[in-house]
PDB file of all heavy atoms in Angstrom:
ATOM      1  N   ARG A   3     -31.164   9.915 -37.284  1.00 78.00           N
ATOM      2  CA  ARG A   3     -30.880   8.491 -37.445  1.00 78.00           C
ATOM      3  C   ARG A   3     -31.257   7.737 -36.174  1.00 78.00           C
ATOM      4  O   ARG A   3     -30.628   7.918 -35.136  1.00 78.00           O
ATOM      5  CB  ARG A   3     -29.417   8.288 -37.759  1.00 78.00           C
ATOM      6  CG  ARG A   3     -29.045   8.934 -39.054  1.00 78.00           C
ATOM      7  CD  ARG A   3     -27.614   8.703 -39.346  1.00 78.00           C
ATOM      8  NE  ARG A   3     -27.465   8.689 -40.789  1.00 78.00           N
ATOM      9  CZ  ARG A   3     -26.515   8.072 -41.410  1.00 78.00           C
ATOM     10  NH1 ARG A   3     -25.612   7.404 -40.733  1.00 78.00           N
ATOM     11  NH2 ARG A   3     -26.442   8.102 -42.705  1.00 78.00           N
ATOM     12  N   PRO A   4     -32.251   6.872 -36.239  1.00 73.00           N
ATOM     13  CA  PRO A   4     -32.698   6.156 -35.033  1.00 73.00           C
ATOM     14  C   PRO A   4     -31.620   5.249 -34.442  1.00 73.00           C
ATOM     15  O   PRO A   4     -31.527   5.100 -33.230  1.00 73.00           O
ATOM     16  CB  PRO A   4     -33.892   5.336 -35.509  1.00 73.00           C
ATOM     17  CG  PRO A   4     -34.241   5.819 -36.853  1.00 73.00           C
ATOM     18  CD  PRO A   4     -33.094   6.583 -37.393  1.00 73.00           C
ATOM     19  N   TRP A   6     -28.400   5.749 -34.526  1.00 82.00           N
ATOM     20  CA  TRP A   6     -27.439   6.592 -33.824  1.00 82.00           C
ATOM     21  C   TRP A   6     -27.999   6.972 -32.454  1.00 82.00           C
ATOM     22  O   TRP A   6     -27.284   6.984 -31.463  1.00 82.00           O
ATOM     23  CB  TRP A   6     -27.125   7.843 -34.637  1.00 82.00           C
ATOM     24  CG  TRP A   6     -26.085   8.697 -33.983  1.00 82.00           C
ATOM     25  CD1 TRP A   6     -24.736   8.569 -34.110  1.00 82.00           C
ATOM     26  CD2 TRP A   6     -26.308   9.779 -33.075  1.00 82.00           C
ATOM     27  NE1 TRP A   6     -24.110   9.514 -33.331  1.00 82.00           N
ATOM     28  CE2 TRP A   6     -25.045  10.268 -32.685  1.00 82.00           C
ATOM     29  CE3 TRP A   6     -27.451  10.379 -32.554  1.00 82.00           C
ATOM     30  CZ2 TRP A   6     -24.902  11.326 -31.805  1.00 82.00           C
ATOM     31  CZ3 TRP A   6     -27.293  11.440 -31.671  1.00 82.00           C
ATOM     32  CH2 TRP A   6     -26.028  11.897 -31.315  1.00 82.00           C
ATOM     33  N   LEU A  18     -24.535   6.551 -16.820  1.00 93.00           N
ATOM     34  CA  LEU A  18     -25.348   6.875 -15.641  1.00 93.00           C
ATOM     35  C   LEU A  18     -25.426   5.703 -14.667  1.00 93.00           C
ATOM     36  O   LEU A  18     -25.405   5.899 -13.449  1.00 93.00           O
ATOM     37  CB  LEU A  18     -26.745   7.324 -16.072  1.00 93.00           C
ATOM     38  CG  LEU A  18     -26.781   8.664 -16.800  1.00 93.00           C
ATOM     39  CD1 LEU A  18     -28.180   8.965 -17.314  1.00 93.00           C
ATOM     40  CD2 LEU A  18     -26.279   9.794 -15.917  1.00 93.00           C
ATOM     41  N   LEU A  23     -23.398   3.213  -9.359  1.00 92.00           N
ATOM     42  CA  LEU A  23     -22.803   2.102  -8.616  1.00 92.00           C
ATOM     43  C   LEU A  23     -22.143   2.506  -7.293  1.00 92.00           C
ATOM     44  O   LEU A  23     -22.354   1.813  -6.289  1.00 92.00           O
ATOM     45  CB  LEU A  23     -21.805   1.356  -9.498  1.00 92.00           C
ATOM     46  CG  LEU A  23     -22.415   0.256 -10.350  1.00 92.00           C
ATOM     47  CD1 LEU A  23     -21.349  -0.374 -11.229  1.00 92.00           C
ATOM     48  CD2 LEU A  23     -23.106  -0.788  -9.529  1.00 92.00           C
ATOM     49  N   PRO A  24     -21.350   3.575  -7.224  1.00 92.00           N
ATOM     50  CA  PRO A  24     -20.780   3.932  -5.913  1.00 92.00           C
ATOM     51  C   PRO A  24     -21.838   4.232  -4.857  1.00 92.00           C
ATOM     52  O   PRO A  24     -21.678   3.862  -3.689  1.00 92.00           O
ATOM     53  CB  PRO A  24     -19.935   5.174  -6.210  1.00 92.00           C
ATOM     54  CG  PRO A  24     -19.625   5.089  -7.655  1.00 92.00           C
ATOM     55  CD  PRO A  24     -20.805   4.414  -8.290  1.00 92.00           C
ATOM     56  N   VAL A  25     -22.930   4.854  -5.251  1.00 90.00           N
ATOM     57  CA  VAL A  25     -24.013   5.129  -4.302  1.00 90.00           C
ATOM     58  C   VAL A  25     -24.628   3.817  -3.830  1.00 90.00           C
ATOM     59  O   VAL A  25     -24.896   3.628  -2.635  1.00 90.00           O
ATOM     60  CB  VAL A  25     -25.094   6.036  -4.953  1.00 90.00           C
ATOM     61  CG1 VAL A  25     -26.279   6.224  -4.027  1.00 90.00           C
ATOM     62  CG2 VAL A  25     -24.492   7.365  -5.358  1.00 90.00           C
ATOM     63  N   VAL A  29     -24.731   2.356   0.044  1.00 88.00           N
ATOM     64  CA  VAL A  29     -25.936   1.926   0.759  1.00 88.00           C
ATOM     65  C   VAL A  29     -25.778   0.487   1.247  1.00 88.00           C
ATOM     66  O   VAL A  29     -26.171   0.159   2.373  1.00 88.00           O
ATOM     67  CB  VAL A  29     -27.190   2.091  -0.133  1.00 88.00           C
ATOM     68  CG1 VAL A  29     -28.407   1.461   0.514  1.00 88.00           C
ATOM     69  CG2 VAL A  29     -27.443   3.564  -0.409  1.00 88.00           C
ATOM     70  N   SER A  31     -23.029  -0.882   2.107  1.00 89.00           N
ATOM     71  CA  SER A  31     -22.106  -0.852   3.242  1.00 89.00           C
ATOM     72  C   SER A  31     -22.816  -0.416   4.518  1.00 89.00           C
ATOM     73  O   SER A  31     -22.407  -0.801   5.619  1.00 89.00           O
ATOM     74  CB  SER A  31     -20.917   0.062   2.948  1.00 89.00           C
ATOM     75  OG  SER A  31     -21.290   1.427   3.041  1.00 89.00           O
ATOM     76  N   ARG A  35     -22.426  -1.883   8.304  1.00 89.00           N
ATOM     77  CA  ARG A  35     -21.837  -1.034   9.333  1.00 89.00           C
ATOM     78  C   ARG A  35     -22.837  -0.473  10.335  1.00 89.00           C
ATOM     79  O   ARG A  35     -22.591  -0.480  11.528  1.00 89.00           O
ATOM     80  CB  ARG A  35     -21.090   0.146   8.697  1.00 89.00           C
ATOM     81  CG  ARG A  35     -19.826  -0.234   7.995  1.00 89.00           C
ATOM     82  CD  ARG A  35     -19.062   0.974   7.483  1.00 89.00           C
ATOM     83  NE  ARG A  35     -19.829   1.679   6.442  1.00 89.00           N
ATOM     84  CZ  ARG A  35     -20.205   2.949   6.527  1.00 89.00           C
ATOM     85  NH1 ARG A  35     -19.906   3.675   7.557  1.00 89.00           N
ATOM     86  NH2 ARG A  35     -20.883   3.507   5.549  1.00 89.00           N
ATOM     87  N   ALA A  39     -28.596   3.728  10.344  1.00 89.00           N
ATOM     88  CA  ALA A  39     -28.392   4.623   9.203  1.00 89.00           C
ATOM     89  C   ALA A  39     -29.047   4.052   7.953  1.00 89.00           C
ATOM     90  O   ALA A  39     -29.617   4.793   7.148  1.00 89.00           O
ATOM     91  CB  ALA A  39     -26.904   4.852   8.967  1.00 89.00           C
ATOM     92  N   THR A  47     -36.960   6.144   0.657  1.00 86.00           N
ATOM     93  CA  THR A  47     -37.468   5.502  -0.559  1.00 86.00           C
ATOM     94  C   THR A  47     -38.985   5.531  -0.663  1.00 86.00           C
ATOM     95  O   THR A  47     -39.532   5.172  -1.700  1.00 86.00           O
ATOM     96  CB  THR A  47     -36.985   4.039  -0.647  1.00 86.00           C
ATOM     97  OG1 THR A  47     -37.487   3.313   0.470  1.00 86.00           O
ATOM     98  CG2 THR A  47     -35.470   3.955  -0.682  1.00 86.00           C
ATOM     99  N   GLU A  48     -39.655   5.959   0.370  1.00 88.00           N
ATOM    100  CA  GLU A  48     -41.113   6.066   0.320  1.00 88.00           C
ATOM    101  C   GLU A  48     -41.573   7.361  -0.341  1.00 88.00           C
ATOM    102  O   GLU A  48     -42.759   7.519  -0.626  1.00 88.00           O
ATOM    103  CB  GLU A  48     -41.695   5.967   1.730  1.00 88.00           C
ATOM    104  CG  GLU A  48     -41.428   4.633   2.388  1.00 88.00           C
ATOM    105  CD  GLU A  48     -41.988   3.467   1.574  1.00 88.00           C
ATOM    106  OE1 GLU A  48     -43.108   3.588   1.035  1.00 88.00           O
ATOM    107  OE2 GLU A  48     -41.287   2.449   1.473  1.00 88.00           O
ATOM    108  N   ARG A  49     -40.664   8.269  -0.595  1.00 91.00           N
ATOM    109  CA  ARG A  49     -41.035   9.548  -1.208  1.00 91.00           C
ATOM    110  C   ARG A  49     -41.301   9.376  -2.700  1.00 91.00           C
ATOM    111  O   ARG A  49     -40.613   8.609  -3.376  1.00 91.00           O
ATOM    112  CB  ARG A  49     -39.927  10.567  -0.990  1.00 91.00           C
ATOM    113  CG  ARG A  49     -39.728  10.881   0.463  1.00 91.00           C
ATOM    114  CD  ARG A  49     -38.675  11.903   0.674  1.00 91.00           C
ATOM    115  NE  ARG A  49     -38.506  12.137   2.106  1.00 91.00           N
ATOM    116  CZ  ARG A  49     -37.818  13.128   2.591  1.00 91.00           C
ATOM    117  NH1 ARG A  49     -37.201  13.976   1.796  1.00 91.00           N
ATOM    118  NH2 ARG A  49     -37.716  13.279   3.894  1.00 91.00           N
ATOM    119  N   VAL A  52     -38.330   9.839  -5.115  1.00 90.00           N
ATOM    120  CA  VAL A  52     -37.386   8.718  -5.102  1.00 90.00           C
ATOM    121  C   VAL A  52     -37.951   7.552  -5.906  1.00 90.00           C
ATOM    122  O   VAL A  52     -37.220   6.884  -6.641  1.00 90.00           O
ATOM    123  CB  VAL A  52     -37.053   8.300  -3.657  1.00 90.00           C
ATOM    124  CG1 VAL A  52     -36.179   7.061  -3.628  1.00 90.00           C
ATOM    125  CG2 VAL A  52     -36.377   9.442  -2.917  1.00 90.00           C
ATOM    126  N   ALA A  55     -37.324   8.340  -9.393  1.00 90.00           N
ATOM    127  CA  ALA A  55     -35.909   8.126  -9.701  1.00 90.00           C
ATOM    128  C   ALA A  55     -35.609   6.635  -9.847  1.00 90.00           C
ATOM    129  O   ALA A  55     -34.812   6.236 -10.709  1.00 90.00           O
ATOM    130  CB  ALA A  55     -35.037   8.743  -8.613  1.00 90.00           C
ATOM    131  N   MET A  57     -37.723   4.452 -10.940  1.00 89.00           N
ATOM    132  CA  MET A  57     -38.250   4.106 -12.260  1.00 89.00           C
ATOM    133  C   MET A  57     -37.220   4.469 -13.328  1.00 89.00           C
ATOM    134  O   MET A  57     -36.986   3.705 -14.264  1.00 89.00           O
ATOM    135  CB  MET A  57     -39.551   4.834 -12.537  1.00 89.00           C
ATOM    136  CG  MET A  57     -40.101   4.559 -13.913  1.00 89.00           C
ATOM    137  SD  MET A  57     -41.378   5.741 -14.359  1.00 89.00           S
ATOM    138  CE  MET A  57     -41.628   5.321 -16.060  1.00 89.00           C
ATOM    139  N   LEU A  59     -34.035   4.591 -12.956  1.00 91.00           N
ATOM    140  CA  LEU A  59     -32.939   3.635 -12.849  1.00 91.00           C
ATOM    141  C   LEU A  59     -33.281   2.315 -13.531  1.00 91.00           C
ATOM    142  O   LEU A  59     -32.464   1.739 -14.266  1.00 91.00           O
ATOM    143  CB  LEU A  59     -32.604   3.406 -11.374  1.00 91.00           C
ATOM    144  CG  LEU A  59     -31.401   2.549 -11.077  1.00 91.00           C
ATOM    145  CD1 LEU A  59     -30.140   3.189 -11.638  1.00 91.00           C
ATOM    146  CD2 LEU A  59     -31.273   2.343  -9.586  1.00 91.00           C
ATOM    147  N   VAL A  65     -32.852  -0.235 -20.775  1.00 88.00           N
ATOM    148  CA  VAL A  65     -32.333   0.310 -22.034  1.00 88.00           C
ATOM    149  C   VAL A  65     -30.930  -0.217 -22.294  1.00 88.00           C
ATOM    150  O   VAL A  65     -30.593  -0.594 -23.423  1.00 88.00           O
ATOM    151  CB  VAL A  65     -32.338   1.856 -22.001  1.00 88.00           C
ATOM    152  CG1 VAL A  65     -31.385   2.444 -23.008  1.00 88.00           C
ATOM    153  CG2 VAL A  65     -33.726   2.383 -22.277  1.00 88.00           C
ATOM    154  N   LEU A  71     -28.088  -6.189 -26.124  1.00 81.00           N
ATOM    155  CA  LEU A  71     -28.604  -7.294 -26.944  1.00 81.00           C
ATOM    156  C   LEU A  71     -28.675  -6.897 -28.416  1.00 81.00           C
ATOM    157  O   LEU A  71     -28.371  -7.693 -29.306  1.00 81.00           O
ATOM    158  CB  LEU A  71     -29.983  -7.729 -26.438  1.00 81.00           C
ATOM    159  CG  LEU A  71     -30.000  -8.431 -25.087  1.00 81.00           C
ATOM    160  CD1 LEU A  71     -31.438  -8.667 -24.627  1.00 81.00           C
ATOM    161  CD2 LEU A  71     -29.237  -9.741 -25.149  1.00 81.00           C
ATOM    162  N   GLU A  77     -23.635  -7.665 -34.256  1.00 73.00           N
ATOM    163  CA  GLU A  77     -22.347  -8.309 -34.510  1.00 73.00           C
ATOM    164  C   GLU A  77     -22.519  -9.734 -35.003  1.00 73.00           C
ATOM    165  O   GLU A  77     -21.765 -10.189 -35.858  1.00 73.00           O
ATOM    166  CB  GLU A  77     -21.499  -8.301 -33.240  1.00 73.00           C
ATOM    167  CG  GLU A  77     -20.989  -6.931 -32.870  1.00 73.00           C
ATOM    168  CD  GLU A  77     -20.173  -6.949 -31.602  1.00 73.00           C
ATOM    169  OE1 GLU A  77     -19.941  -8.034 -31.043  1.00 73.00           O
ATOM    170  OE2 GLU A  77     -19.768  -5.867 -31.166  1.00 73.00           O
ATOM    171  N   LEU A  78     -23.487 -10.458 -34.476  1.00 77.00           N
ATOM    172  CA  LEU A  78     -23.631 -11.867 -34.822  1.00 77.00           C
ATOM    173  C   LEU A  78     -24.481 -12.099 -36.066  1.00 77.00           C
ATOM    174  O   LEU A  78     -24.250 -13.045 -36.811  1.00 77.00           O
ATOM    175  CB  LEU A  78     -24.233 -12.635 -33.644  1.00 77.00           C
ATOM    176  CG  LEU A  78     -23.380 -12.649 -32.370  1.00 77.00           C
ATOM    177  CD1 LEU A  78     -24.140 -13.312 -31.236  1.00 77.00           C
ATOM    178  CD2 LEU A  78     -22.063 -13.357 -32.616  1.00 77.00           C
ATOM    179  N   GLN A  85     -33.771  -3.337 -38.063  1.00 73.00           N
ATOM    180  CA  GLN A  85     -33.064  -2.910 -36.854  1.00 73.00           C
ATOM    181  C   GLN A  85     -33.633  -1.631 -36.251  1.00 73.00           C
ATOM    182  O   GLN A  85     -33.602  -1.455 -35.042  1.00 73.00           O
ATOM    183  CB  GLN A  85     -31.581  -2.741 -37.135  1.00 73.00           C
ATOM    184  CG  GLN A  85     -30.878  -4.061 -37.240  1.00 73.00           C
ATOM    185  CD  GLN A  85     -29.395  -3.900 -37.414  1.00 73.00           C
ATOM    186  OE1 GLN A  85     -28.910  -2.809 -37.673  1.00 73.00           O
ATOM    187  NE2 GLN A  85     -28.668  -4.983 -37.264  1.00 73.00           N
ATOM    188  N   LEU A 104     -42.639   1.090 -11.469  1.00 82.00           N
ATOM    189  CA  LEU A 104     -43.198   2.246 -10.763  1.00 82.00           C
ATOM    190  C   LEU A 104     -44.602   1.931 -10.239  1.00 82.00           C
ATOM    191  O   LEU A 104     -44.933   2.251  -9.091  1.00 82.00           O
ATOM    192  CB  LEU A 104     -43.223   3.465 -11.659  1.00 82.00           C
ATOM    193  CG  LEU A 104     -43.797   4.733 -11.029  1.00 82.00           C
ATOM    194  CD1 LEU A 104     -42.925   5.201  -9.863  1.00 82.00           C
ATOM    195  CD2 LEU A 104     -43.943   5.843 -12.058  1.00 82.00           C
ATOM    196  N   LEU A 105     -45.418   1.296 -11.056  1.00 85.00           N
ATOM    197  CA  LEU A 105     -46.791   0.996 -10.639  1.00 85.00           C
ATOM    198  C   LEU A 105     -46.813   0.018  -9.461  1.00 85.00           C
ATOM    199  O   LEU A 105     -47.667   0.123  -8.580  1.00 85.00           O
ATOM    200  CB  LEU A 105     -47.585   0.450 -11.817  1.00 85.00           C
ATOM    201  CG  LEU A 105     -47.884   1.463 -12.918  1.00 85.00           C
ATOM    202  CD1 LEU A 105     -48.571   0.770 -14.087  1.00 85.00           C
ATOM    203  CD2 LEU A 105     -48.722   2.610 -12.402  1.00 85.00           C
TER     204      LEU A 105
END
Side-chain angles (χ1 to χ4, degrees):
R3 297 181 151 205
W6 183 86
L18 292 174
L23 273 177
V25 175
V29 172
S31 75
R35 289 185 295 121
T47 62
E48 297 302 319
R49 296 182 181 192
V52 175
M57 177 195 172
L59 186 62
V65 159
L71 290 174
E77 289 179 4
L78 297 174
Q85 285 184 348
L104 180 64
L105 291 175

